[in-house]
Amino acid sequence: MRRGCPMSVKTLAVLALALGAAGAFAQDPVVQEPKVAPIKTHEMKPGYGVVESVTEVQVVRERSAAAGGSAPGASSGRPMYRIGVRMPDGSLQFRDLDKPEFKVGDNVLLTNAGDIVPD
């Protein structure tokens, strides 16, 4: 006569499977915003355009050696939104905002001061 698995072995097997499945869902990677450098002022050109992208990013501030640091800059800790604006000449301009004020397809004006305003 053949005996089956003892009840304690079955219980352990079920418990191990349950914990393994729970662990698989708990291990989901945390999605973090891409870290980007601030947009340089000389790269900003004024004009009208259409919002092509809105991406949540973390802007990494650059530390200057004059300020006593050569270490990499630190993130601001709060998310920023990098807005991509397609200009009439086909170029793509970027601006960083602290609020997602615009959506893809919005007509906007990029100012000399580096702001984005609705058109």
Side-chain angles (χ1 to χ4, degrees), residues 100-118:
E101 299 175 33
F102 301 98
K103 62 184 183 312
V104 173
D106 285 351
N107 291 311
V108 295
L109 170 64
L110 304 179
T111 69
N112 287 329
D115 298 322
I116 303 177
V117 294

Side-chain angles (χ1 to χ4, degrees), residues 44-102:
M44 296 182 185
K45 308 279 189 256
Y48 292 93
V50 178
V51 175
E52 190 170 279
S53 64
V54 179
T55 306
E56 192 171 340
V57 297
Q58 280 189 349
V59 177
V60 178
R61 304 286 176 204
E62 296 174 358
R63 293 183 62 179
S64 81
S70 60
S75 307
S76 62
R78 59 187 167 92
M80 298 285 289
Y81 298 89
R82 180 151 287 180
I83 311 299
V85 178
R86 181 68 61 187
M87 306 304 281
D89 66 359
S91 65
L92 189 60
Q93 293 276 324
F94 293 99
R95 300 291 188 276
D96 294 329
L97 301 176
D98 57 356
K99 293 183 270 183
E101 299 175 33
F102 301 98

